[in-house]
C-alpha cells in the first residue's frame, strides 16, 4: 500500500466525523485526535521496527519489549488508583507473563528467535495482558466497594483476609476472563481474527495463517488467566494490613 | 468484674484517650450523637480496628498480644444492615463454620433460628427475607461461635416500632439465658433506658460519662443532661 492509497483511505474518517457533527455527539475532537495519534504512533513504530528488524540485535529487541511493557503499565496504573503499589504489581505481572510465554515459545522452539516473530507476538501478549488487567481492576474495585460490609462481616467472624475477599476476587477474575473465552468460541464463525486477516492480505497461505492465529489464541487465553490471577492475588493483600484489618481502597487526596 | 477495659485509647481524629471498662454478663449501651465514635469503639473491641495509642484488654490480656482472628470468634458482632452473602438462610447461618471449611449441623442451625424466634426454611433465599428477619438471622449467626461478648451495632435502626420491641425482647431473653456480655450501640435513648444495665455516653470521640443509666440520669454534667433531654449538643 502506498502513502497515496493510505491518504485516500482517510475518507473512512470523514464518515464518523460527519455523523458526529450532524448528531452533535461532541466526539469530533476525539476522532481527530485519535486519528492523528494512531497515524503518528504507528508510523513511528513502523520506522522503529524496520530499524530493529534490519539491525537484528537482541538488545534492540529487548528494548522494544521493555518500551511496550512500560507503555502498558502507564496505561493500566490509573485504573488501579486506590490500591497502594499497583504500579509495581502491574509491572511485575506484565514482565512475568511476557517472560513465561516467550520462554515457552522460544524454549520449545515453537517460534524462532527472530525480531520479526518475537516483537509482534510480544505486542499481542503485552497488549492482551494490559486489557485483562484493566478489565480485572475495573471489576475488582467495583466488587470491593459493593461488598465492604460482607468483607468486614467475615473478618468479624474470625476469617482471614483471603477468605473475606474470596468472592469478590474470584468474581472479578471470572468476569474479566469471560470475554476472552466467549470471543474464542465464535472465532472464525463471526469474524476472521486480525492477525490471520493481516497474514492472508499479506499473501500468506490461509492454513499457515490459521496455525499462527491458533498459536496466538492459545497465548491470549494464557495471558488472560495469568494477568487477572496475578494482578488479583497480588493486589488484594494491599487492601488489608498485617492484622487482617480491612483498609479498603485508599484514594490519594488531590491537591486543590 | 470487667471483661473489657479501655486505657487511654486514641484512634486517628475519631477517638480521644478513652478510658473505661465493660462489666461481664451485663448489657452496656453506647449512646451519643452522630460522629461520637460509637461504631469505631465497637470495631476496636473485636479487632477490626486497632488503636493508634492506648490499650484494650480482654479478660486482662492486651488485644494486641492476642491472635486477633481467635479474638473475633469469641467476640461476635451483628451489623446495622445485617449483611448477607448471596444464597440461602443456611448458607448464611453456616458462614461462621464454612469460612473454616466446616459445616454447622442442620439441627443446630434450626435450633439457633428457634432461639432468635425466626421461623423460616433453611433453604429460603436471603433476598426474600424482611428487614426484621434479616436482623434475627444476623443475630443467630453471631451465636454460632458461642461468643463471650456480643456486639450490636444499631441493629434496630431501620426497623419499625413493633419489630424493634421484638428484637429488644429477644436480646434481653438471650442475655438472661446465655449470660453473655452485650455491648449495644443505639441512637435511641428510650431504648437505652429500656435495655441497659450500664451506659457509655460518648461525644466527639471522648467518653463523657459511664455507669448505670440511673447514675447518668442524676449526673451533674451539663452535656449529659442536655443529651438525656434530647437537646442538640
Amino acid at each position: 500500500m502506498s502513502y497515496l492509497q493510505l491518504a485516500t483511505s482517510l475518507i473512512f474518517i470523514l464518515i464518523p466525523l460527519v455523523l458526529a457533527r450532524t448528531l452533535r455527539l461532541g466526539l469530533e475532537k476525539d476522532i481527530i485526535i485519535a486519528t492523528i495519534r494512531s497515524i503518528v504512533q504507528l508510523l513511528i513504530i513502523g520506522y522503529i521496527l524496520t530499524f530493529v528488524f534490519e539491525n537484528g540485535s537482541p538488545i534492540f529487541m529487548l528494548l522494544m519489549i521493555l518500551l511496550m511493557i512500560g507503555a502498558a503499565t502507564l496505561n493500566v496504573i490509573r485504573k488501579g488508583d486506590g490500591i497502594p503499589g499497583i504500579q509495581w504489581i502491574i509491572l511485575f505481572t506484565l514482565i512475568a507473563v511476557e517472560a513465561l510465554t516467550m520462554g515457552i515459545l522460544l524454549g520449545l522452539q515453537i517460534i524462532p528467535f527472530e525480531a520479526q516473530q518475537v516483537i509482534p507476538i510480544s505486542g499481542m501478549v503485552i497488549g492482551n495482558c494490559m486489557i485483562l488487567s484493566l478489565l480485572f481492576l475495573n471489576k475488582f474495585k467495583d466488587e470491593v466497594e459493593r461488598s465492604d460490609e460482607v468483607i468486614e462481616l467475615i473478618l468479624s467472624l474470625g476469617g482471614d483476609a483471603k477468605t473475606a475477599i474470596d468472592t469478590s476476587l474470584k468474581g472479578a477474575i471470572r468476569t474479566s476472563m469471560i470475554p476472552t473465552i466467549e470471543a474464542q468460541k465464535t472465532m472464525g464463525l463471526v469474524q476472521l481474527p486480525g492477525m490471520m486477516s493481516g497474514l492472508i492480505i499479506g499473501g500468506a497461505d490461509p492454513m499457515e495463517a490459521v496455525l499462527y492465529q491458533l498459536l496466538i489464541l492459545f497465548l491470549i487465553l494464557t495471558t488472560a488467566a495469568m494477568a487477572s490471577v496475578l494482578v488479583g492475588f497480588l493486589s488484594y493483600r494491599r487492601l488489608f494490613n498485617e492484622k487482617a484489618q480491612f483498609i479498603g481502597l485508599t484514594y490519594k487526596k488531590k491537591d486543590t | 468484674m470487667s471483661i473489657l477495659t479501655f486505657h487511654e485509647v486514641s484512634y486517628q481524629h475519631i477517638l480521644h484517650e478513652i478510658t473505661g471498662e465493660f462489666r461481664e454478663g451485663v448489657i452496656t449501651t453506647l449512646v451519643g450523637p452522630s460522629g461520637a465514635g460509637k461504631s469505631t469503639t465497637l470495631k476496636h473491641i473485636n479487632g477490626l480496628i486497632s488503636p493508634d495509642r492506648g490499650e484494650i484488654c480482654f479478660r486482662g490480656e492486651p488485644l494486641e498480644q492476642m491472635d486477633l482472628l481467635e479474638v473475633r470468634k469469641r467476640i461476635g458482632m451483628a451489623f446495622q444492615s445485617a449483611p448477607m452473602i448471596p444464597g440461602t438462610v443456611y448458607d448464611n447461618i453456616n458462614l461462621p463454620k464454612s469460612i473454616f471449611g466446616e459445616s454447622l449441623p442442620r439441627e443446630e442451625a434450626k435450633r439457633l433460628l428457634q432461639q432468635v424466634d425466626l421461623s423460616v426454611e433453611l433453604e429460603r433465599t436471603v433476598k426474600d427475607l424482611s428487614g426484621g428477619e434479616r436482623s434475627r438471622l444476623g443475630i443467630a449467626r453471631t451465636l454460632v461461635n458461642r461468643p463471650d461478648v456480643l456486639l450490636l451495632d444499631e441493629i434496630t435502626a431501620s426497623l419499625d416500632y413493633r419489630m424493634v420491641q421484638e428484637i429488644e425482647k429477644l436480646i434481653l431473653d438471650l442475655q438472661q439465658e446465655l449470660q453473655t456480655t452485650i455491648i449495644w450501640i443505639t441512637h435511641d435513648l428510650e431504648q437505652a433506658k429500656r435495655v441497659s444495665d450500664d451506659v457509655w455516653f460518648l461525644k466527639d470521640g471522648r467518653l463523657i460519662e459511664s455507669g448505670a443509666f440511673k447514675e447518668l440520669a442524676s449526673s451533674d454534667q451539663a452535656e449529659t443532661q442536655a443529651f438525656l433531654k434530647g437537646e442538640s449538643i
Side-chain angles (χ1 to χ4, degrees):
Chain A
M1 183 185 281
S2 68
Y3 284 107
L4 181 66
Q5 285 170 313
L6 179 69
T8 314
S9 71
L10 281 174
I11 197 161
F12 292 118
I13 306 300
L14 280 177
I15 294 170
L17 264 180
V18 169
L19 285 173
R21 182 95 181 155
T22 313
L23 298 172
R24 294 183 184 174
L25 300 176
L27 291 174
E28 299 93 313
K29 196 176 157 193
D30 284 325
I31 291 171
I32 292 169
I33 289 174
T35 307
I36 294 171
R37 275 190 63 166
S38 60
I39 293 170
V40 173
Q41 285 166 200
L42 283 178
L43 284 176
I44 290 173
I45 213 72
Y47 283 117
I48 293 175
L49 284 177
T50 307
F51 171 75
V52 173
F53 289 173
E54 283 173 2
N55 185 288
S57 163
I59 293 171
F60 287 116
M61 209 192 303
L62 187 67
L63 279 175
M64 189 72 205
I65 291 169
L66 288 177
L67 185 73
M68 290 191 278
I69 289 176
T73 305
L74 287 175
N75 210 8
V76 180
I77 52 178
R78 206 163 39 131
K79 193 53 87 181
D81 186 25
I83 302 172
I86 189 66
Q87 63 273 32
W88 303 114
I89 292 171
I90 299 296
L91 187 63
F92 173 78
T93 301
L94 290 167
I95 292 172
V97 174
E98 166 69 4
L100 184 92
T101 50
M102 276 302 141
I104 292 172
L105 288 173
L106 295 172
L108 299 179
Q109 297 181 329
I110 299 169
I111 62 165
F113 185 61
E114 288 171 3
Q116 284 91 334
Q117 304 263 350
V118 172
I119 291 176
I121 291 176
S122 293
M124 282 184 258
V125 166
I126 293 165
N128 192 58
C129 198
M130 177 186 80
I131 290 166
L132 257 293
S133 303
L134 283 169
L135 282 175
F136 170 80
L137 286 171
N138 207 23
K139 182 67 185 167
F140 183 57
K141 285 169 65 177
D142 186 43
E143 284 273 344
V144 167
E145 283 182 340
R146 218 160 37 89
S147 314
D148 59 343
E149 286 190 324
V150 170
I151 291 169
E152 285 220 310
L153 165 71
I154 294 172
L155 292 177
S156 80
L157 293 167
D160 60 14
K162 169 68 180 54
T163 309
I165 208 158
D166 195 57
T167 308
S168 304
L169 181 63
K170 287 183 181 161
I173 290 174
R174 200 178 300 117
T175 307
S176 58
M177 282 185 67
I178 283 173
T180 305
I181 297 168
E182 288 302 315
Q184 294 211 2
K185 283 184 190 167
T186 57
M187 200 58 76
L189 294 176
V190 180
Q191 59 171 359
L192 293 180
M195 182 192 171
M196 191 174 132
S197 306
L199 283 172
I200 294 170
I201 291 167
D205 173 48
M207 280 316 290
E208 194 188 350
V210 165
L211 293 181
Y212 260 100
Q213 187 59 53
L214 283 172
L215 167 69
I216 296 304
L217 289 183
F218 300 154
L219 272 179
I220 282 175
L221 201 55
T222 285
T223 56
M226 277 189 73
S228 47
V229 169
L230 270 178
V231 174
F233 276 77
L234 292 173
S235 41
Y236 89 80
R237 295 165 198 273
R238 314 306 296 258
L239 305 181
F240 298 85
N241 64 18
E242 71 284 357
K243 294 174 187 164
Q245 292 166 339
F246 182 55
I247 304 163
L249 298 165
T250 47
Y251 295 103
K252 281 181 193 159
K253 283 178 189 162
K254 286 183 184 151
D255 295 330
T256 50
Chain B
M1 186 188 161
S2 62
I3 187 167
L4 277 156
T5 55
F6 275 52
H7 182 67
E8 295 182 352
V9 168
S10 296
Y11 176 72
Q12 294 183 356
H13 299 294
I14 304 171
L15 300 184
H16 307 284
E17 298 187 339
I18 291 190
T19 297
E21 56 183 47
F22 293 96
R23 286 194 298 141
E24 184 162 13
V26 302
I27 297 179
T28 304
T29 50
L30 304 188
V31 298
S34 295
K38 303 185 292 289
S39 290
T40 308
T41 302
L42 212 63
K43 284 185 176 180
H44 272 85
I45 295 173
N46 77 342
L48 286 177
I49 299 176
S50 293
D52 297 331
R53 289 183 305 281
E55 189 175 68
I56 299 167
C57 292
F58 178 55
R59 296 194 189 283
E61 194 178 346
L63 280 186
E64 288 296 300
Q65 290 171 19
M66 298 172 78
D67 177 350
L68 279 182
L69 298 185
E70 284 303 315
V71 168
R72 289 173 192 163
K73 284 188 206 171
R74 293 165 65 186
I75 302 178
M77 184 162 178
F79 294 79
Q80 180 178 351
S81 58
M84 298 286 153
I85 57 165
T88 63
V89 168
Y90 179 75
D91 293 335
N92 275 276
I93 199 165
N94 186 41
L95 189 64
K97 294 287 181 192
S98 64
I99 58 176
F100 300 107
E102 300 164 13
S103 63
L104 183 72
R106 298 180 75 82
E107 285 310 308
E108 176 67 1
K110 284 178 187 166
R111 192 192 64 76
L112 284 165
L113 293 184
Q114 258 175 10
Q115 198 165 17
V116 296
D117 245 346
L118 181 59
S119 50
V120 292
E121 293 294 314
L122 287 175
E123 297 313 319
R124 192 158 152 199
T125 54
V126 283
K127 65 177 183 194
D128 296 335
L129 298 182
S130 68
E133 287 171 333
R134 285 172 72 101
S135 193
R136 283 169 195 274
L137 180 55
I139 295 164
R141 185 169 53 194
T142 60
L143 298 178
V144 171
N145 285 334
R146 300 175 194 273
D148 298 336
V149 180
L150 193 53
L151 308 176
L152 309 175
D153 189 358
E154 298 219 41
I155 52 165
T156 59
S158 54
L159 304 178
D160 61 41
Y161 184 65
R162 190 180 60 83
M163 201 56 76
V164 169
Q165 285 186 314
E166 284 183 24
I167 298 284
E168 274 179 20
K169 183 175 179 306
L170 166 72
I171 298 293
L172 291 171
D173 290 347
L174 279 175
Q175 203 275 329
Q176 285 290 313
E177 186 186 335
L178 307 171
Q179 292 295 304
T180 310
T181 304
I182 293 176
I183 302 171
W184 188 343
I185 291 180
T186 178
H187 65 276
D188 179 352
L189 262 183
E190 288 304 313
Q191 182 174 62
K193 211 181 281 184
R194 288 192 296 269
V195 302
S196 305
D197 295 302
D198 293 347
V199 180
W200 272 33
F201 170 43
L202 294 150
K203 190 193 165 218
D204 298 332
R206 296 178 199 282
L207 179 59
I208 305 294
E209 261 188 282
S210 64
F213 201 96
K214 274 185 236 164
E215 288 171 25
L216 244 69
S218 57
S219 160
D220 51 8
Q221 278 253 18
E223 281 176 316
T224 310
Q225 283 308 318
F227 180 70
L228 292 174
K229 285 175 190 166
E231 294 168 9
S232 71
I233 53 171

Short mmCIF file of all heavy atoms in Angstrom, two decimals, chain A residues 12-45:
data_model
loop_
_atom_site.label_atom_id
_atom_site.label_comp_id
_atom_site.label_asym_id
_atom_site.label_seq_id
_atom_site.Cartn_x
_atom_site.Cartn_y
_atom_site.Cartn_z
N PHE A 12 -12.58 7.26 5.27
CA PHE A 12 -13.28 6.49 6.31
C PHE A 12 -13.32 7.24 7.64
O PHE A 12 -14.04 6.88 8.54
CB PHE A 12 -12.62 5.12 6.49
CG PHE A 12 -12.80 4.23 5.29
CD1 PHE A 12 -11.70 3.77 4.56
CD2 PHE A 12 -14.07 3.86 4.88
CE1 PHE A 12 -11.88 2.96 3.46
CE2 PHE A 12 -14.24 3.05 3.77
CZ PHE A 12 -13.15 2.61 3.06
N ILE A 13 -12.47 8.26 7.77
CA ILE A 13 -12.51 9.10 8.98
C ILE A 13 -13.58 10.18 8.81
O ILE A 13 -14.20 10.63 9.78
CB ILE A 13 -11.13 9.75 9.23
CG1 ILE A 13 -10.04 8.69 9.28
CG2 ILE A 13 -11.14 10.56 10.53
CD1 ILE A 13 -10.23 7.66 10.37
N LEU A 14 -13.78 10.57 7.55
CA LEU A 14 -14.76 11.63 7.28
C LEU A 14 -16.18 11.19 7.67
O LEU A 14 -16.96 11.98 8.19
CB LEU A 14 -14.74 12.02 5.80
CG LEU A 14 -13.61 12.97 5.37
CD1 LEU A 14 -13.67 13.20 3.87
CD2 LEU A 14 -13.73 14.30 6.11
N ILE A 15 -16.48 9.94 7.43
CA ILE A 15 -17.85 9.45 7.71
C ILE A 15 -18.21 9.60 9.20
O ILE A 15 -19.20 10.24 9.53
CB ILE A 15 -18.03 7.99 7.21
CG1 ILE A 15 -17.91 7.97 5.68
CG2 ILE A 15 -19.37 7.40 7.65
CD1 ILE A 15 -17.81 6.60 5.05
N PRO A 16 -17.40 9.04 10.14
CA PRO A 16 -17.76 9.26 11.56
C PRO A 16 -17.73 10.73 11.96
O PRO A 16 -18.51 11.15 12.82
CB PRO A 16 -16.70 8.46 12.33
CG PRO A 16 -15.63 8.15 11.36
CD PRO A 16 -16.24 8.14 10.01
N LEU A 17 -16.83 11.51 11.32
CA LEU A 17 -16.78 12.94 11.65
C LEU A 17 -18.08 13.63 11.27
O LEU A 17 -18.64 14.41 12.05
CB LEU A 17 -15.63 13.60 10.89
CG LEU A 17 -14.30 13.76 11.63
CD1 LEU A 17 -13.27 14.42 10.74
CD2 LEU A 17 -14.47 14.55 12.92
N VAL A 18 -18.57 13.32 10.08
CA VAL A 18 -19.82 13.93 9.61
C VAL A 18 -20.98 13.49 10.51
O VAL A 18 -21.81 14.31 10.92
CB VAL A 18 -20.09 13.56 8.12
CG1 VAL A 18 -21.50 13.96 7.71
CG2 VAL A 18 -19.05 14.21 7.23
N LEU A 19 -21.01 12.21 10.84
CA LEU A 19 -22.08 11.69 11.70
C LEU A 19 -22.04 12.37 13.08
O LEU A 19 -23.07 12.78 13.62
CB LEU A 19 -21.94 10.17 11.87
CG LEU A 19 -22.37 9.32 10.68
CD1 LEU A 19 -22.02 7.86 10.93
CD2 LEU A 19 -23.88 9.46 10.44
N ALA A 20 -20.83 12.48 13.64
CA ALA A 20 -20.68 13.10 14.97
C ALA A 20 -21.14 14.55 14.93
O ALA A 20 -21.79 15.03 15.86
CB ALA A 20 -19.23 13.01 15.42
N ARG A 21 -20.78 15.23 13.84
CA ARG A 21 -21.14 16.65 13.70
C ARG A 21 -22.66 16.80 13.54
O ARG A 21 -23.29 17.62 14.22
CB ARG A 21 -20.42 17.19 12.47
CG ARG A 21 -20.64 18.64 12.21
CD ARG A 21 -19.52 19.45 12.82
NE ARG A 21 -19.69 20.87 12.63
CZ ARG A 21 -19.18 21.78 13.40
NH1 ARG A 21 -18.50 21.42 14.47
NH2 ARG A 21 -19.34 23.06 13.16
N THR A 22 -23.23 15.97 12.65
CA THR A 22 -24.66 16.07 12.37
C THR A 22 -25.49 15.78 13.62
O THR A 22 -26.46 16.47 13.91
CB THR A 22 -25.05 15.08 11.26
OG1 THR A 22 -24.11 15.20 10.20
CG2 THR A 22 -26.45 15.34 10.73
N LEU A 23 -25.11 14.73 14.33
CA LEU A 23 -25.89 14.32 15.51
C LEU A 23 -25.44 15.05 16.79
O LEU A 23 -25.96 14.77 17.87
CB LEU A 23 -25.76 12.80 15.72
CG LEU A 23 -26.30 11.94 14.58
CD1 LEU A 23 -25.95 10.47 14.82
CD2 LEU A 23 -27.82 12.09 14.45
N ARG A 24 -24.48 15.95 16.64
CA ARG A 24 -23.95 16.72 17.78
C ARG A 24 -23.54 15.80 18.95
O ARG A 24 -24.01 15.95 20.07
CB ARG A 24 -24.97 17.75 18.26
CG ARG A 24 -25.22 18.80 17.21
CD ARG A 24 -26.16 19.84 17.68
NE ARG A 24 -26.45 20.79 16.63
CZ ARG A 24 -27.33 21.76 16.73
NH1 ARG A 24 -28.01 21.90 17.84
NH2 ARG A 24 -27.55 22.59 15.73
N LEU A 25 -22.72 14.82 18.60
CA LEU A 25 -22.28 13.85 19.62
C LEU A 25 -21.12 14.41 20.46
O LEU A 25 -20.77 13.83 21.49
CB LEU A 25 -21.83 12.54 18.96
CG LEU A 25 -22.89 11.79 18.14
CD1 LEU A 25 -22.26 10.57 17.48
CD2 LEU A 25 -24.06 11.35 19.02
N GLY A 26 -20.52 15.48 19.99
CA GLY A 26 -19.39 16.08 20.71
C GLY A 26 -18.14 15.22 20.65
O GLY A 26 -17.31 15.26 21.56
N LEU A 27 -18.03 14.39 19.60
CA LEU A 27 -16.88 13.47 19.51
C LEU A 27 -15.88 13.88 18.43
O LEU A 27 -14.88 13.19 18.22
CB LEU A 27 -17.38 12.05 19.20
CG LEU A 27 -18.16 11.34 20.31
CD1 LEU A 27 -18.71 10.02 19.81
CD2 LEU A 27 -17.25 11.08 21.51
N GLU A 28 -16.15 15.00 17.75
CA GLU A 28 -15.30 15.38 16.60
C GLU A 28 -13.83 15.52 17.01
O GLU A 28 -12.94 14.98 16.35
CB GLU A 28 -15.78 16.70 15.98
CG GLU A 28 -17.19 16.68 15.43
CD GLU A 28 -18.21 17.16 16.46
OE1 GLU A 28 -18.16 16.70 17.61
OE2 GLU A 28 -19.07 17.97 16.10
N LYS A 29 -13.61 16.24 18.14
CA LYS A 29 -12.23 16.48 18.57
C LYS A 29 -11.53 15.15 18.88
O LYS A 29 -10.38 14.94 18.49
CB LYS A 29 -12.26 17.37 19.83
CG LYS A 29 -10.93 18.00 20.15
CD LYS A 29 -11.10 18.93 21.35
CE LYS A 29 -9.77 19.13 22.03
NZ LYS A 29 -9.93 19.76 23.34
N ASP A 30 -12.26 14.25 19.59
CA ASP A 30 -11.66 12.96 19.95
C ASP A 30 -11.34 12.13 18.71
O ASP A 30 -10.31 11.46 18.66
CB ASP A 30 -12.63 12.17 20.86
CG ASP A 30 -12.62 12.72 22.26
OD1 ASP A 30 -11.56 13.16 22.71
OD2 ASP A 30 -13.69 12.71 22.91
N ILE A 31 -12.22 12.18 17.70
CA ILE A 31 -11.98 11.40 16.47
C ILE A 31 -10.72 11.92 15.77
O ILE A 31 -9.86 11.13 15.35
CB ILE A 31 -13.21 11.48 15.53
CG1 ILE A 31 -14.39 10.72 16.16
CG2 ILE A 31 -12.88 10.90 14.15
CD1 ILE A 31 -15.71 10.89 15.43
N ILE A 32 -10.59 13.25 15.71
CA ILE A 32 -9.41 13.82 15.02
C ILE A 32 -8.13 13.49 15.79
O ILE A 32 -7.13 13.05 15.21
CB ILE A 32 -9.58 15.36 14.87
CG1 ILE A 32 -10.72 15.63 13.87
CG2 ILE A 32 -8.29 16.00 14.39
CD1 ILE A 32 -11.18 17.06 13.82
N ILE A 33 -8.21 13.65 17.15
CA ILE A 33 -7.01 13.34 17.96
C ILE A 33 -6.63 11.86 17.82
O ILE A 33 -5.47 11.52 17.62
CB ILE A 33 -7.25 13.71 19.45
CG1 ILE A 33 -7.29 15.24 19.59
CG2 ILE A 33 -6.16 13.13 20.35
CD1 ILE A 33 -7.68 15.73 20.98
N ALA A 34 -7.66 11.00 17.89
CA ALA A 34 -7.39 9.55 17.78
C ALA A 34 -6.75 9.23 16.43
O ALA A 34 -5.82 8.41 16.35
CB ALA A 34 -8.69 8.77 17.96
N THR A 35 -7.26 9.85 15.37
CA THR A 35 -6.71 9.58 14.03
C THR A 35 -5.26 10.03 13.93
O THR A 35 -4.38 9.27 13.50
CB THR A 35 -7.56 10.33 12.96
OG1 THR A 35 -8.92 9.98 13.15
CG2 THR A 35 -7.11 9.97 11.57
N ILE A 36 -5.01 11.27 14.38
CA ILE A 36 -3.64 11.79 14.30
C ILE A 36 -2.69 10.95 15.15
O ILE A 36 -1.61 10.56 14.70
CB ILE A 36 -3.60 13.28 14.73
CG1 ILE A 36 -4.38 14.12 13.73
CG2 ILE A 36 -2.16 13.78 14.84
CD1 ILE A 36 -4.60 15.57 14.14
N ARG A 37 -3.15 10.62 16.38
CA ARG A 37 -2.28 9.82 17.26
C ARG A 37 -1.96 8.46 16.66
O ARG A 37 -0.82 8.00 16.68
CB ARG A 37 -2.94 9.63 18.64
CG ARG A 37 -2.67 10.79 19.57
CD ARG A 37 -3.11 10.48 20.96
NE ARG A 37 -2.37 9.34 21.54
CZ ARG A 37 -2.38 9.05 22.82
NH1 ARG A 37 -3.09 9.78 23.66
NH2 ARG A 37 -1.70 8.02 23.28
N SER A 38 -3.00 7.81 16.10
CA SER A 38 -2.75 6.46 15.54
C SER A 38 -1.80 6.54 14.35
O SER A 38 -0.91 5.70 14.19
CB SER A 38 -4.07 5.78 15.15
OG SER A 38 -4.75 6.55 14.19
N ILE A 39 -1.95 7.60 13.49
CA ILE A 39 -1.04 7.73 12.34
C ILE A 39 0.40 7.94 12.83
O ILE A 39 1.32 7.21 12.43
CB ILE A 39 -1.48 8.92 11.44
CG1 ILE A 39 -2.82 8.60 10.77
CG2 ILE A 39 -0.42 9.21 10.38
CD1 ILE A 39 -3.46 9.79 10.06
N VAL A 40 0.56 8.91 13.73
CA VAL A 40 1.92 9.24 14.20
C VAL A 40 2.55 8.04 14.93
O VAL A 40 3.68 7.64 14.63
CB VAL A 40 1.88 10.49 15.13
CG1 VAL A 40 3.25 10.74 15.77
CG2 VAL A 40 1.44 11.71 14.34
N GLN A 41 1.77 7.45 15.88
CA GLN A 41 2.33 6.33 16.67
C GLN A 41 2.70 5.15 15.79
O GLN A 41 3.77 4.56 15.94
CB GLN A 41 1.31 5.90 17.73
CG GLN A 41 1.22 6.87 18.89
CD GLN A 41 0.00 6.67 19.78
OE1 GLN A 41 -0.37 7.58 20.49
NE2 GLN A 41 -0.63 5.52 19.72
N LEU A 42 1.81 4.80 14.84
CA LEU A 42 2.09 3.63 14.02
C LEU A 42 3.23 3.88 13.03
O LEU A 42 4.04 2.99 12.77
CB LEU A 42 0.83 3.18 13.28
CG LEU A 42 -0.18 2.41 14.15
CD1 LEU A 42 -1.43 2.06 13.37
CD2 LEU A 42 0.44 1.14 14.72
N LEU A 43 3.31 5.13 12.50
CA LEU A 43 4.43 5.42 11.59
C LEU A 43 5.75 5.35 12.35
O LEU A 43 6.73 4.77 11.85
CB LEU A 43 4.25 6.80 10.95
CG LEU A 43 3.20 6.87 9.83
CD1 LEU A 43 3.02 8.29 9.32
CD2 LEU A 43 3.57 5.94 8.66
N ILE A 44 5.75 5.92 13.57
CA ILE A 44 6.99 5.87 14.36
C ILE A 44 7.37 4.42 14.64
O ILE A 44 8.52 4.00 14.44
CB ILE A 44 6.82 6.65 15.70
CG1 ILE A 44 6.73 8.14 15.41
CG2 ILE A 44 7.98 6.36 16.65
CD1 ILE A 44 6.40 9.00 16.63
N ILE A 45 6.35 3.63 15.06
CA ILE A 45 6.65 2.23 15.39
C ILE A 45 7.09 1.47 14.13
O ILE A 45 7.96 0.60 14.19
CB ILE A 45 5.44 1.55 16.09
CG1 ILE A 45 5.93 0.51 17.11
CG2 ILE A 45 4.50 0.84 15.17
CD1 ILE A 45 6.53 1.07 18.32
#
